[in-house]
Amino acid sequence: MWSYIITLRYFIEFSYNGKNYFGYQIQPDAISVQEELEKALSTILREDIKTTGAGRTDTGVHAKKIFAHFDTENPVSDQLTHRLNSFLPPDISIKRIFPVRDDFHARFDATYRTYEYYISLEKNPFTQESAWQLWRRSLDVSKMNEACKILFEYEDFTSFAKLKTDNKTNICKMYKAEWEQNGSELKFTVSANRFLRNMVRAIVGTMVEIGAGKIQPEELRRVIEDKNRNAAGTSAPGHGLFLVDVGYEF
Amino acid sequence: MWSYIITLRYFIEFSYNGKNYFGYQIQPDAISVQEELEKALSTILREDIKTTGAGRTDTGVHAKKIFAHFDTENPVSDQLTHRLNSFLPPDISIKRIFPVRDDFHARFDATYRTYEYYISLEKNPFTQESAWQLWRRSLDVSKMNEACKILFEYEDFTSFAKLKTDNKTNICKMYKAEWEQNGSELKFTVSANRFLRNMVRAIVGTMVEIGAGKIQPEELRRVIEDKNRNAAGTSAPGHGLFLVDVGYEF
């Protein structure tokens, strides 16, 4: 006789404040969002639950909207979102949990990722942990937006990738890259099919050097064509970066 | 022969994140915003500077816009704002410093004060320190706005005053009181010529009980007419409260 266990796959949409975490992904001897999530799910569902996230984020990076999937042998109740929120620490919030096809994958089925990076051009006591405070600098935003247009001419972003990486390819399709100023707040929105590790922070760091007049916008071409991380500027700090959306065709 | 020293009076417009302070006003054995400000001014101006604030705020309460005045024997330079910002910790930001008549008073010449109180109706990892997290409750905002209208029928707000206080009078003229919902964020804006100590937080605490259905909006009349702090609800936590404006006729 056959013994057959049906597993059900669920997607979780959630957000987190990255301040107290060494990134999303589980790692030894460092607190991660994934570890908190799996601990909460396993305790509530009384089953050893493993999750797969849409992507990893670096230490201190935030997520306004991110997804993960998990498999379970039992259908989950409508109460799970509320129970998870009560169990999880205040810096992780579950928005919704919904069933998907059992081969639908939080990482591989994502069609785009969108990030926002915030810079404060005035000393702001309320965004110390959510924006790069650059009030000592003067930035020319129009030059930074000129540089954005150049990004679309390329697909190989090796120059913005972390030196040691296990990526098989450094090819990314850029969908959006734009700086917007609202009062003293500067927001960079960038969207692509995928991002290399550290890529957004390396782009922002380089764009700030362009805005400060240290590099001309056109020089970004040389930086990218060098395919060498040392050609680009230093990385912007993690606390200004938010993953804000991941796209799926459910 | 006469020796005559002319003193000049300046106003400072500034903001602060109250998280790490035991309120605005200097007090023994507790860190205050005023102490940080006077230390910075005295060091930079090489003169013992005392400041007078527009009002005190409680422990943990924030200010998006507040004013203080100080007197000095020497005209201050245009660089003072920038130098103060460099000297002060990241959670206090100076917006501008400008001369006023030598009898213009930051506290007594203020014609109104406006506060905002924020409540989050969803678990929000990014407003843990700037909004009261009430996602476990269900609040009827229309009832809370009914209660707002009742506030305008009264001037004696003894019921919302801290029990032990040195106030000579508990009379306040209410100019605005309104709850607005924007997505899962609830904002209470309240403006009056003056506020009693703890008053906004006591009003918010009472209004939340009205929103939760524990008290009917009309019962607010009895609460106010009792002139007894015990008649009102418990105080809302300080971290959701922001002083956002102080009015002057310069």
Side-chain angles (χ1 to χ4, degrees), chain A residues 222-248:
Chain A
R222 180 191 50 75
V223 168
I224 298 173
E225 287 167 15
D226 255 17
K227 297 184 187 174
N228 179 343
R229 178 66 186 85
N230 294 321
T234 51
S235 282
H239 70 268
L241 183 60
F242 293 76
L243 175 60
V244 297
D245 200 12
V246 187
Y248 298 98

Side-chain angles (χ1 to χ4, degrees), chain A residues 10-249:
Chain A
Y10 289 90
F11 254 51
I12 315 177
E13 182 188 327
F14 59 109
S15 62
Y16 57 85
N17 184 324
K19 185 190 168 192
N20 296 317
Y21 298 100
F22 289 87
Y24 174 72
Q25 192 154 307
I26 282 186
Q27 47 192 304
D29 307 320
I31 185 173
S32 66
V33 176
Q34 188 180 11
E35 189 183 333
E36 291 289 339
L37 195 59
E38 293 185 358
K39 203 167 63 184
L41 279 166
S42 299
T43 306
I44 294 170
L45 298 179
R46 300 180 189 198
E47 192 184 330
D48 189 26
I49 302 284
K50 298 291 170 207
T51 63
T52 302
R56 54 177 109 191
T57 55
D58 288 334
T59 296
V61 172
H62 315 288
K64 286 188 191 169
K65 191 188 209 176
I66 185 172
F67 296 85
H69 74 247
F70 68 93
D71 295 328
T72 171
E73 292 170 14
N74 303 297
V76 307
S77 94
D78 290 345
Q79 304 295 314
L80 184 59
T81 299
H82 195 275
R83 290 179 70 194
L84 272 176
N85 277 328
S86 298
F87 191 98
L88 285 164
D91 51 13
I92 303 176
S93 174
I94 308 296
K95 183 89 177 178
R96 59 187 180 122
I97 301 172
F98 52 99
V100 292
R101 299 195 310 266
D102 66 1
D103 65 342
F104 204 80
H105 198 283
R107 183 168 166 207
F108 300 132
D109 284 319
T111 53
Y112 66 85
R113 277 102 177 154
T114 306
Y115 284 89
E116 289 172 353
Y117 195 97
Y118 289 88
I119 288 175
S120 183
L121 301 175
E122 265 182 18
K123 192 180 179 187
N124 188 333
F126 305 108
T127 60
Q128 294 294 323
E129 294 172 351
S130 56
W132 192 9
Q133 303 291 312
L134 284 183
W135 54 275
R136 288 181 180 84
R137 308 278 289 268
S138 161
L139 298 180
D140 184 335
V141 182
S142 62
K143 281 189 179 173
M144 293 160 80
N145 269 323
E146 270 182 65
C148 283
K149 287 177 202 146
I150 293 170
L151 290 178
F152 292 92
E153 299 172 15
Y154 298 90
E155 296 204 319
D156 184 335
F157 291 99
T158 305
S159 293
F160 299 121
K162 224 175 170 83
L163 288 175
K164 283 177 186 171
T165 168
D166 52 3
N167 283 328
K168 285 172 197 148
T169 153
N170 290 333
I171 301 296
C172 310
K173 253 184 107 84
M174 196 63 65
Y175 298 137
K176 182 177 180 169
E178 187 182 22
W179 288 92
E180 288 168 284
Q181 185 166 356
N182 185 3
S184 62
E185 184 189 270
L186 210 54
K187 179 174 83 171
F188 178 55
T189 307
V190 61
S191 192
N193 69 326
R194 66 195 280 265
F195 287 92
L196 311 174
R197 198 148 176 221
N198 208 250
M199 179 169 153
V200 182
R201 291 166 57 196
I203 290 177
V204 169
T206 307
M207 294 242 179
V208 162
E209 292 189 12
I210 290 168
K214 289 190 187 173
I215 315 177
Q216 288 308 306
E218 313 80 68
E219 288 181 69
L220 186 60
R221 287 195 186 90
R222 180 191 50 75
V223 168
I224 298 173
E225 287 167 15
D226 255 17
K227 297 184 187 174
N228 179 343
R229 178 66 186 85
N230 294 321
T234 51
S235 282
H239 70 268
L241 183 60
F242 293 76
L243 175 60
V244 297
D245 200 12
V246 187
Y248 298 98
E249 283 164 21

Side-chain angles (χ1 to χ4, degrees), chain B residues 158-194:
Chain B
T158 306
S159 292
F160 298 121
K162 223 175 172 83
L163 289 174
K164 284 179 185 169
T165 168
D166 53 2
N167 284 328
K168 286 169 196 151
T169 155
N170 289 333
I171 301 296
C172 310
K173 255 185 105 81
M174 198 61 64
Y175 298 137
K176 182 176 182 172
E178 187 183 22
W179 288 92
E180 288 166 285
Q181 185 166 356
N182 186 2
S184 62
E185 183 191 87
L186 211 52
K187 179 175 83 170
F188 179 54
T189 306
V190 61
S191 191
N193 68 327
R194 64 194 280 268

Side-chain angles (χ1 to χ4, degrees), chain B residues 11 47 70 72 85 94 98 111 113 128 149 163 183 215 218 220 242-243 246 248:
Chain B
F11 254 52
E47 193 184 329
F70 69 94
T72 172
N85 276 329
I94 308 295
F98 53 98
T111 54
R113 277 104 177 151
Q128 295 294 323
K149 287 178 200 144
L163 289 174
I215 315 176
E218 314 80 69
L220 186 60
F242 293 75
L243 175 60
V246 187
Y248 298 98

